[in-house]
Protein backbone atom coordinates (compact mmCIF):
# COMPACT_ATOMS: atom_id res chain seq x y z
CA UNK A 1 0.00 0.00 0.00
CA UNK A 2 2.77 2.32 0.92
CA UNK A 3 4.46 1.51 -2.34
CA UNK A 4 1.28 2.31 -4.24
CA UNK A 5 0.95 5.67 -2.48
CA UNK A 6 4.54 6.46 -3.24
CA UNK A 7 4.00 5.71 -6.89
CA UNK A 8 0.83 7.81 -6.93
CA UNK A 9 2.57 10.66 -5.25
CA UNK A 10 5.39 10.43 -7.73
CA UNK A 11 2.99 10.41 -10.66
CA UNK A 12 1.06 13.36 -9.20
CA UNK A 13 4.19 15.34 -8.73
CA UNK A 14 5.32 14.56 -12.22
CA UNK A 15 1.92 15.58 -13.61
CA UNK A 16 1.95 18.85 -11.70
CA UNK A 17 5.49 19.52 -12.88
CA UNK A 18 4.50 18.77 -16.45
CA UNK A 19 1.49 21.09 -16.27
CA UNK A 20 3.59 23.85 -14.70
CA UNK A 21 6.20 23.32 -17.36
CA UNK A 22 3.59 23.87 -20.06
CA UNK A 23 1.41 26.66 -18.63
CA UNK A 24 3.96 28.55 -16.52
CA UNK A 25 6.04 29.90 -19.41
CA UNK A 26 2.90 30.62 -21.41
CA UNK A 27 1.53 32.78 -18.57
CA UNK A 28 4.85 34.57 -18.27
CA UNK A 29 4.94 35.21 -22.04
CA UNK A 30 1.38 36.56 -21.91
CA UNK A 31 2.23 39.01 -19.14
CA UNK A 32 5.40 40.06 -20.95
CA UNK A 33 3.49 40.67 -24.16
CA UNK A 34 0.86 42.69 -22.30
CA UNK A 35 3.58 44.75 -20.70
CA UNK A 36 5.25 45.28 -24.07
CA UNK A 37 1.91 46.32 -25.62
CA UNK A 38 1.33 48.75 -22.76
CA UNK A 39 4.79 50.23 -23.30
CA UNK A 40 4.15 50.51 -27.05
CA UNK A 41 0.79 52.21 -26.47
CA UNK A 42 2.45 54.64 -24.09
CA UNK A 43 5.23 55.29 -26.60
CA UNK A 44 2.71 55.97 -29.38
CA UNK A 45 0.72 58.21 -27.06
CA UNK A 46 3.88 60.12 -26.11
CA UNK A 47 4.76 60.52 -29.80
CA UNK A 48 1.25 61.80 -30.56
CA UNK A 49 1.36 64.18 -27.60
CA UNK A 50 4.75 65.48 -28.72
CA UNK A 51 3.49 65.98 -32.27
CA UNK A 52 0.42 67.86 -31.03
CA UNK A 53 2.57 70.04 -28.79
CA UNK A 54 4.92 70.74 -31.69
CA UNK A 55 1.94 71.60 -33.92
CA UNK A 56 0.60 73.99 -31.28
CA UNK A 57 3.98 75.65 -30.95
CA UNK A 58 4.25 75.99 -34.72
CA UNK A 59 0.76 77.49 -34.88
CA UNK A 60 1.57 79.97 -32.12
CA UNK A 61 4.79 80.84 -33.92
CA UNK A 62 2.85 81.49 -37.14
CA UNK A 63 0.30 83.59 -35.27
CA UNK A 64 3.05 85.56 -33.59
CA UNK A 65 4.82 86.09 -36.90
CA UNK A 66 1.57 87.25 -38.49
CA UNK A 67 0.94 89.69 -35.63
CA UNK A 68 4.47 90.99 -35.92
CA UNK A 69 3.99 91.53 -39.67
CA UNK A 70 0.72 93.37 -39.08
CA UNK A 71 2.20 95.53 -36.31
CA UNK A 72 5.28 96.25 -38.42
CA UNK A 73 3.11 97.24 -41.38
CA UNK A 74 0.97 99.45 -39.13
CA UNK A 75 4.06 101.09 -37.65
CA UNK A 76 5.56 101.68 -41.09
CA UNK A 77 2.25 103.08 -42.37
CA UNK A 78 2.02 105.35 -39.35
CA UNK A 79 5.58 106.58 -39.81
CA UNK A 80 4.94 107.12 -43.51
CA UNK A 81 1.77 109.09 -42.79
CA UNK A 82 3.41 111.22 -40.10
CA UNK A 83 6.35 111.98 -42.39
CA UNK A 84 3.98 112.94 -45.20
CA UNK A 85 1.96 115.14 -42.84
CA UNK A 86 5.10 116.86 -41.55
CA UNK A 87 6.35 117.55 -45.07
CA UNK A 88 2.95 118.72 -46.31
CA UNK A 89 2.47 120.99 -43.29
CA UNK A 90 5.64 122.85 -44.18
CA UNK A 91 4.85 122.87 -47.89
CA UNK A 92 1.34 124.24 -47.42
CA UNK A 93 2.90 127.17 -45.60
CA UNK A 94 5.46 127.55 -48.41
CA UNK A 95 2.69 127.46 -51.01
CA UNK A 96 0.69 130.10 -49.18
CA UNK A 97 3.77 132.33 -48.92
CA UNK A 98 4.42 131.80 -52.63
CA UNK A 99 0.90 133.00 -53.43
CA UNK A 100 1.13 135.91 -50.98
CA UNK A 101 4.52 137.17 -52.12
CA UNK A 102 3.72 136.68 -55.80
CA UNK A 103 0.50 138.66 -55.38
CA UNK A 104 2.46 141.41 -53.67
CA UNK A 105 4.97 141.52 -56.53
CA UNK A 106 2.21 141.51 -59.13
CA UNK A 107 0.32 144.28 -57.29
CA UNK A 108 3.47 146.38 -57.03
CA UNK A 109 4.33 145.83 -60.69
CA UNK A 110 7.51 143.96 -59.84
CA UNK A 111 8.77 141.20 -62.11
CA UNK A 112 8.35 137.59 -61.00
CA UNK A 113 10.76 134.80 -61.93
CA UNK A 114 8.38 132.30 -63.58
CA UNK A 115 10.90 129.45 -63.40
CA UNK A 116 11.42 129.94 -59.67
CA UNK A 117 7.67 130.23 -59.21
CA UNK A 118 7.16 126.92 -61.05
CA UNK A 119 9.86 125.19 -59.00
CA UNK A 120 8.37 126.22 -55.66
CA UNK A 121 4.81 125.54 -56.78
CA UNK A 122 5.65 122.06 -58.06
CA UNK A 123 7.54 121.10 -54.90
CA UNK A 124 4.82 122.27 -52.54
CA UNK A 125 1.91 120.85 -54.51
CA UNK A 126 3.58 117.45 -54.87
CA UNK A 127 4.14 117.27 -51.11
CA UNK A 128 0.47 117.99 -50.43
CA UNK A 129 -0.59 115.43 -53.04
CA UNK A 130 1.63 112.79 -51.39
CA UNK A 131 0.14 113.50 -47.97
CA UNK A 132 -3.43 113.38 -49.23
CA UNK A 133 -2.67 110.15 -51.10
CA UNK A 134 -1.18 108.50 -48.02
CA UNK A 135 -3.98 109.63 -45.72
CA UNK A 136 -6.80 108.81 -48.16
CA UNK A 137 -9.19 110.99 -46.22
CA UNK A 138 -12.46 112.14 -47.74
CA UNK A 139 -12.11 115.32 -45.72
CA UNK A 140 -9.44 116.41 -48.22
CA UNK A 141 -12.18 117.32 -50.66
CA UNK A 142 -13.24 120.85 -51.50
CA UNK A 143 -16.86 121.57 -52.31
CA UNK A 144 -17.03 124.55 -54.65
CA UNK A 145 -20.22 126.54 -54.20
CA UNK A 146 -21.32 127.26 -57.74
CA UNK A 147 -24.53 127.15 -59.71
CA UNK A 148 -25.55 123.54 -60.28
CA UNK A 149 -23.71 122.33 -57.15
CA UNK A 150 -20.77 120.33 -58.50
CA UNK A 151 -19.60 117.17 -56.73
CA UNK A 152 -16.72 117.43 -54.23
CA UNK A 153 -13.25 117.21 -55.70
CA UNK A 154 -9.72 116.94 -54.30
CA UNK A 155 -8.45 120.09 -52.65
CA UNK A 156 -5.12 119.54 -54.41
CA UNK A 157 -6.89 120.14 -57.72
CA UNK A 158 -8.28 123.40 -56.35
CA UNK A 159 -4.79 124.42 -55.22
CA UNK A 160 -3.37 123.59 -58.64
CA UNK A 161 -6.04 125.64 -60.43
CA UNK A 162 -5.36 128.63 -58.19
CA UNK A 163 -1.62 128.27 -58.80
CA UNK A 164 -2.11 128.05 -62.56
CA UNK A 165 -4.35 131.12 -62.52
CA UNK A 166 -1.74 133.06 -60.55
CA UNK A 167 1.03 131.99 -62.92
CA UNK A 168 -1.07 133.15 -65.86
CA UNK A 169 -1.27 136.56 -64.23
CA UNK A 170 2.52 136.53 -63.82
CA UNK A 171 3.24 135.85 -67.50
CA UNK A 172 0.21 137.63 -69.01
CA UNK A 173 -1.33 140.19 -66.63
CA UNK A 174 -5.08 140.88 -66.82
CA UNK A 175 -6.74 144.09 -65.72
CA UNK A 176 -9.69 142.26 -64.15
CA UNK A 177 -7.49 140.05 -61.97
CA UNK A 178 -8.73 139.98 -58.35
CA UNK A 179 -5.71 139.40 -56.15
CA UNK A 180 -7.61 140.00 -52.90
CA UNK A 181 -10.07 137.24 -53.70
CA UNK A 182 -7.25 134.85 -54.59
CA UNK A 183 -5.41 135.61 -51.37
CA UNK A 184 -8.54 134.96 -49.28
CA UNK A 185 -9.04 131.74 -51.22
CA UNK A 186 -5.45 130.58 -50.62
CA UNK A 187 -5.64 131.51 -46.93
CA UNK A 188 -8.82 129.51 -46.39
CA UNK A 189 -7.26 126.49 -48.12
CA UNK A 190 -4.15 126.76 -45.95
CA UNK A 191 -6.14 127.09 -42.71
CA UNK A 192 -8.42 124.16 -43.56
CA UNK A 193 -5.52 121.95 -44.58
CA UNK A 194 -3.57 122.81 -41.45
CA UNK A 195 -6.55 121.83 -39.28
CA UNK A 196 -6.85 118.55 -41.14
CA UNK A 197 -3.14 117.79 -40.88
CA UNK A 198 -3.26 118.51 -37.13
CA UNK A 199 -6.28 116.24 -36.78
CA UNK A 200 -4.68 113.43 -38.79
CA UNK A 201 -1.43 113.70 -36.84
CA UNK A 202 -3.22 113.68 -33.47
CA UNK A 203 -5.16 110.55 -34.41
CA UNK A 204 -1.91 108.75 -35.21
CA UNK A 205 -0.08 109.90 -32.09
CA UNK A 206 -3.03 109.63 -29.66
CA UNK A 207 -2.38 113.18 -28.52
CA UNK A 208 -5.25 115.31 -29.81
CA UNK A 209 -4.43 118.98 -29.16
CA UNK A 210 -8.08 119.88 -29.70
CA UNK A 211 -11.22 118.30 -31.07
CA UNK A 212 -11.24 118.40 -34.87
CA UNK A 213 -13.23 115.66 -36.55
CA UNK A 214 -12.28 114.42 -39.99
CA UNK A 215 -15.80 115.04 -41.23
CA UNK A 216 -16.55 118.34 -39.52
CA UNK A 217 -13.15 119.68 -40.57
CA UNK A 218 -13.73 119.11 -44.27
CA UNK A 219 -12.52 121.79 -46.64
CA UNK A 220 -15.05 124.61 -46.61
CA UNK A 221 -15.41 126.94 -49.56
CA UNK A 222 -16.91 130.39 -49.37
CA UNK A 223 -19.34 131.49 -52.13
CA UNK A 224 -16.93 133.98 -53.69
CA UNK A 225 -14.52 131.14 -54.58
CA UNK A 226 -16.64 130.20 -57.55
CA UNK A 227 -16.47 133.70 -59.00
CA UNK A 228 -13.55 133.74 -61.37
Amino acid sequence: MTAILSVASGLGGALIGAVAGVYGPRSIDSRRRQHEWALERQRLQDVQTAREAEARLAERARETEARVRVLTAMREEKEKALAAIAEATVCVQDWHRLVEWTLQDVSAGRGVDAAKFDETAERTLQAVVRAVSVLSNNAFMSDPVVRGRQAPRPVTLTMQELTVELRSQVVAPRDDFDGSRMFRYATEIREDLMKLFISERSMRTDQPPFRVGVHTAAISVSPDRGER
Side-chain angles (χ1 to χ4, degrees):
M1 186 65 179
T2 302
I4 295 173
L5 291 175
S6 298
V7 171
S9 297
L11 291 174
L15 180 60
I16 293 171
V19 171
V22 173
Y23 290 100
R26 182 179 299 176
S27 177
I28 294 173
D29 289 344
S30 176
R31 288 197 299 271
R32 185 173 63 249
R33 285 194 298 272
Q34 290 177 359
H35 180 65
E36 290 174 350
W37 290 341
L39 291 176
E40 180 64 13
R41 285 195 299 270
Q42 184 63 45
R43 186 187 68 80
L44 293 175
Q45 183 177 352
D46 292 344
V47 170
Q48 182 63 25
T49 300
R51 288 176 178 173
E52 292 174 354
E54 184 179 354
R56 287 194 297 270
L57 288 174
E59 180 63 23
R60 283 198 291 269
R62 286 192 294 269
E63 292 175 354
T64 300
E65 184 179 356
R67 285 195 296 269
V68 169
R69 286 198 301 269
V70 170
L71 292 175
T72 299
M74 291 175 61
R75 186 185 69 253
E76 292 175 350
E77 187 66 23
K78 175 182 177 180
E79 293 173 352
K80 181 180 179 182
L82 290 175
I85 290 171
E87 181 185 19
T89 299
V90 174
C91 287
V92 165
Q93 301 281 22
D94 290 344
W95 174 80
H96 184 264
R97 280 191 291 270
L98 174 68
V99 173
E100 180 182 10
W101 294 346
T102 302
L103 286 172
Q104 290 175 358
D105 290 339
V106 169
S107 178
R110 293 189 292 268
V112 177
D113 187 337
K116 187 175 181 180
F117 177 92
D118 292 342
E119 179 182 352
T120 303
E122 181 178 4
R123 175 179 59 82
T124 55
L125 288 173
Q126 285 183 354
V128 177
V129 168
R130 281 194 297 271
V132 173
S133 176
V134 169
L135 300 175
S136 299
N137 191 326
N138 288 332
F140 289 96
M141 304 290 285
S142 62
D143 189 2
V145 181
V146 295
R147 295 181 184 277
R149 197 67 179 178
Q150 297 179 4
R153 57 180 179 166
V155 66
T156 49
L157 178 59
T158 305
M159 293 176 65
Q160 184 178 17
E161 290 176 348
L162 186 149
T163 305
V164 170
E165 181 183 358
L166 180 55
R167 189 185 189 284
S168 298
Q169 183 64 17
V170 168
V171 297
R174 300 192 324 267
D175 294 337
D176 62 346
F177 178 75
D178 188 349
S180 297
R181 177 196 60 81
M182 177 172 285
F183 180 69
R184 290 196 306 272
Y185 195 172
T187 300
E188 289 179 18
I189 291 176
R190 180 197 63 180
E191 291 176 352
D192 289 340
L193 279 174
M194 292 299 293
K195 289 179 182 179
L196 283 170
F197 288 145
I198 291 173
S199 175
E200 290 289 336
R201 183 172 61 245
S202 67
M203 286 190 298
R204 287 166 173 77
T205 57
D206 297 325
Q207 296 177 354
F210 51 82
R211 188 177 184 81
V212 181
V214 295
H215 298 293
T216 59
I219 302 299
S220 60
V221 182
S222 57
D224 64 344
R225 288 186 178 181
E227 301 173 1
R228 292 287 176 110

